[in-house]
Amino acid sequence: SNIIHVRRVEDADVLESVVGLGECLKSEQNYAKGKKGNCRDKCGDEGAMYALGVRNSATMEKYVTTSNAAKKKMKAFSKSVCRWLQKELPTVYDNIKSAEERKKVEPTEEMPGGPGSSIMFSINLRNASHTDLDHSVSHAVWVEERPGRAKGWYFVLPDLQLLDGRGRPMSKGVV
């Protein structure tokens, strides 16, 4: 079974590094001109998704990162997220590191401390229902580019069931 941990992140370094990387990717990738990132751009999704880091763990092939600015932002992101995970969700951090070790993935220049070897970075993404079958250990952070301005958004996991402290169902599908 899968476990989803939900936390409110108030660490300014984490939030600034996430927004900073997003702003860098948007400016480099012509986001305003309708470019949809470097993945999921031809499947009808709204918004953009960028794949960063290691593309193939067997060959250590990387997704294309176009600039030193993006690499610098990835490094800041990696450092702040690792620090936060180690403090707030140490088991999740350890599980991600163990999964990377099993795949024999070496740390990259852009993400020397991990927590993993790749980042899937979405900006205003509304993507079609799908199932990821990659068996990876994942961690996600959702942030507002301008805190307090997002209204009426939902994160839907249709097969999710939340349980209370006694193991009884509380709600289904929407976080």
Side-chain angles (χ1 to χ4, degrees):
S1 71
N2 295 315
I3 297 173
I4 297 175
H5 304 273
V6 178
R7 299 287 189 279
R8 180 180 174 101
V9 179
E10 295 181 347
D11 184 302
D13 287 340
V14 173
L15 299 174
E16 288 172 15
S17 71
V18 172
V19 171
L21 179 56
E23 288 173 347
C24 183
L25 293 171
K26 284 190 336 185
S27 67
E28 286 184 6
Q29 300 291 331
N30 298 312
Y31 179 80
K33 296 178 185 170
K35 185 153 182 178
K36 300 277 191 173
N38 65 357
C39 62
R40 297 192 63 83
D41 59 343
K42 295 179 177 56
C43 60
D45 293 344
E46 291 184 38
M49 180 180 261
Y50 301 89
L52 308 167
V54 175
R55 181 182 190 131
N56 183 322
S57 61
T59 65
M60 287 302 290
E61 172 192 5
K62 293 181 189 176
Y63 292 105
V64 176
T65 306
T66 59
S67 74
N68 287 329
K71 291 176 184 176
K72 186 176 177 181
K73 296 290 185 182
M74 286 171 66
K75 193 176 273 190
F77 171 89
S78 172
K79 182 179 176 182
S80 66
V81 168
C82 282
R83 184 184 44 72
W84 186 86
L85 275 175
Q86 286 171 322
K87 180 181 172 192
E88 300 293 333
L89 293 168
T91 304
V92 172
Y93 176 83
D94 291 343
N95 288 340
I96 292 171
K97 296 300 274 185
S98 294
E100 296 292 298
E101 288 171 11
R102 283 192 301 277
K103 292 190 292 185
K104 297 180 177 25
V105 179
E106 296 293 322
T108 65
E109 175 188 346
E110 300 87 356
M111 298 185 298
S117 58
S118 61
I119 302 169
M120 298 301 147
F121 198 100
S122 304
I123 301 172
N124 295 328
L125 186 66
R126 284 189 236 163
N127 60 344
S129 178
H130 67 284
T131 302
D132 290 328
L133 299 173
D134 58 9
H135 303 288
S136 64
V137 178
S138 300
H139 148 269
V141 178
W142 285 267
V143 300
E144 293 175 284
E145 198 169 37
R146 293 181 195 97
R149 296 182 97 184
K151 303 287 183 229
W153 69 271
Y154 298 89
F155 181 57
V156 179
L157 299 165
D159 296 322
L160 175 74
Q161 182 173 352
L162 298 176
L163 305 177
D164 67 13
R166 296 182 186 167
R168 296 177 301 200
M170 285 177 26
S171 66
K172 294 184 179 182
V174 178
V175 176

